Every structure is written in C-alpha cells, then in structure tokens.
Amino acid sequence: SNASSVGESLDYKITGIDPGAGIMEATERAITDYELDEWDLVSGSSAAMTASLKKAYDAEEPIVVTGWTPHWKFAEYDLKYLEDPKGSYGGEEEIHTIGRTGLQEEMPEAHQVLSNFNWSEDDMGEVMIAIKDGEKPEVAAQAWVDANPEKVAAWTDGIEKVDGDKIKLAYVAWDSEIASTNVMSIVLTSLGYDVTMLQVEAGPMWTAIADGSADASLAGWLPLTHATYAEKFDGKFEDLGTSMTGVKIGLVVPAYMDITSIEDLKK
Ligand SMILES: C[SH](C)CC(=O)O
C-alpha cells in the first residue's frame, strides 16, 4: 500500500483557534513560507482546539495544532513543537501588559500594580491546570493568590487602596490569559477596585484599549504575535512591560508523530 503522506493523514488541515489570534496570522505566514499549498488552517477557538487535541491524542491519531507556551497541554500530553527553520513564528516571545493612554494619570494605583505584575510559567501553570481540572477560574485564581502572598505583595506593596474605582480588564479566552486576568482581578479587588473582566476576541481587545473602552489587558503577546495590532494602534496604548518572558508560539504535534519540522508537512 502506498504510505499515506502526512498531509493525507491529516486531511491537509491545521487545527487553529480564534481567527483574530496572532498565532493564526503566523500560521497563514507559515503556510506561505513553507509552500503548504494544499493545507488549510481551520479556525475555531482555544477550547475547541484542546478538545480536538484530546480526541486525537486519546486515539493516537495524527493532529497538528496552533500551540503556545505556557499552556497546560504540555503537562497533559507528550507534545513537541515542529521546528520552524524559516522563522514564521518568530523566536522568544513575551507577554506584555497594555493600558489605555489615560491610565497612569487617572488610575495611578492600578497602573502601578499592572506595571509590577509578573509571574513565572509555573505560577501560571498552577492556575491553568486547576481550571483545566474543573475549578472555576476565579476559585483557582483565589487559591493561587492565597498560596502566594509574598508574590502578590511584590506587586502591591506601598500602593494606596482606592474606594470602589471601576476598572475593566479586557482579555481573550486563551487558557493563559484566563489565568492571569482572574488573578489580577482578585489583586485589584483587594486594593479596592470594582473590577470588570471583558472577554472578547483579540481584535476587539486591542481596539477596546485603544479607544479607552477598556482600561488594561494582560494579553499583549509581543514582539511578533500581536505586531499587527501593536502597529495598528501605535500611540494609542501604553506598554506597561512584561508579565512573563520566554514564551512561544508555533505548530505543535503529539510526540508519537514521526515528523520534526514544518518542512515535513510537505512530504
Ligand atoms: C494564542 S497566543 C496566547 C496569542 C495569540 O496567538 O494571539
């Protein structure tokens, strides 16, 4: 029998996430860069992608997903990134906190906490995995805050409490940002803020910060992943710095697949 090509075994489909995510733009770039002409990128959502990943993995079937680190899937499954010799996905990425331009003068205390916010892949992983295992996001976040008073104090020490000031945090339902936004919501609430978490798609998230309808977001993946949004809204947002470095986006497959590079998808 003729050995089916990788593409045939995958019906030439890459399982993506929400269409506005930067990883989707990077994957369209990879399809061009690697001349994957017969391939289609299927959009959906982060939750749908992880459901498809589980289904394929449990059946030990082939699958290629748009993946990123940090993410609980690497703790759950034996996965690997496909090498990206043409650099379609960039190199080391960072998670930035972004704020609307008036934030510092109007909400100095929140601006300071948001600027101070930083945590590790392990910190985020604890919250993400608890949520994956069925915990409500706000419960998982509260448990992490309760267990890490010294890490939270490093963000909030010396910052005056406020009296019910309203603040709106915009985010996209990526597991990483569900975790960080729920933790920050709890921390800002402990400082007296009345916090609203606004879950939107990536484009509307950046738009909300730029037009001031949201105050801040912990979901700015830069320098490459959200480069298009950062350029589009240049001058209309403030970069409050990184909450995590050494993060990554790319194409991810189960370790049981015997391909190692995006180049191998052409075979
Ligand atoms: C899915 S990554 C967290 C961010 C992005 O791709 O826009």
Side-chain angles (χ1 to χ4, degrees), residues 17-18 20-25 46 66-71 95 172 174-177 202 205-206 219-221 225-226 229 248-249:
I17 59 170
D18 38 296
I23 200 169
M24 299 296 274
E25 181 185 23
S46 174
T66 52
W68 64 99
T69 300
H71 195 283
I95 307 179
V172 185
W174 303 316
D175 300 278
S176 31
E177 281 58 42
M205 176 184 74
W206 276 90
W221 279 63
T225 310
H226 289 169
Y229 292 125
K248 180 181 174 51
I249 62 168

Side-chain angles (χ1 to χ4, degrees), residues 159-172:
I159 297 175
E160 294 290 310
K161 288 205 171 192
V162 300
D163 184 13
D165 299 30
K166 290 186 182 309
I167 188 166
K168 192 173 283 186
L169 301 178
Y171 70 108
V172 185

Side-chain angles (χ1 to χ4, degrees), residues 2-22:
N2 64 319
S4 73
S5 74
V6 174
E8 282 168 11
S9 69
L10 285 156
D11 195 17
Y12 295 95
K13 287 189 177 11
I14 295 171
T15 302
I17 59 170
D18 38 296

Side-chain angles (χ1 to χ4, degrees), residues 53-191:
L53 177 60
K54 173 175 174 39
K55 187 166 179 286
Y57 193 88
D58 289 349
E60 210 167 323
E61 285 167 359
I63 188 168
V64 179
V65 301
T66 52
W68 64 99
T69 300
H71 195 283
W72 54 261
K73 60 181 176 295
F74 293 101
E76 184 84 5
Y77 310 116
D78 186 6
L79 304 171
K80 59 189 177 186
Y81 278 97
L82 292 181
E83 286 155 24
D84 172 23
K86 293 177 185 293
S88 307
Y89 289 94
E92 204 174 289
E93 287 282 285
E94 302 171 332
I95 307 179
H96 288 239
T97 300
I98 56 175
R100 66 177 173 81
T101 48
L103 189 69
Q104 182 158 27
E105 94 206 51
E106 293 163 34
M107 308 173 103
E109 297 82 4
H111 185 273
Q112 189 58 57
V113 178
L114 289 161
S115 303
N116 292 344
F117 176 58
N118 74 90
W119 63 342
S120 70
E121 185 177 334
D122 287 347
D123 291 326
M124 179 189 273
E126 285 171 39
V127 180
M128 276 198 288
I129 288 172
I131 295 169
K132 186 266 299 175
D133 288 342
E135 198 65 89
K136 284 194 174 64
E138 62 273 16
V139 174
Q142 185 66 60
W144 187 88
V145 166
D146 295 343
N148 293 278
E150 73 293 341
K151 290 183 180 175
V152 174
W155 309 333
T156 60
D157 263 358
I159 297 175
E160 294 290 310
K161 288 205 171 192
V162 300
D163 184 13
D165 299 30
K166 290 186 182 309
I167 188 166
K168 192 173 283 186
L169 301 178
Y171 70 108
V172 185
W174 303 316
D175 300 278
S176 31
E177 281 58 42
I178 291 168
S180 59
T181 305
N182 274 277
V183 165
M184 182 50 70
S185 173
I186 289 165
V187 171
L188 288 170
T189 302
S190 72
L191 283 172

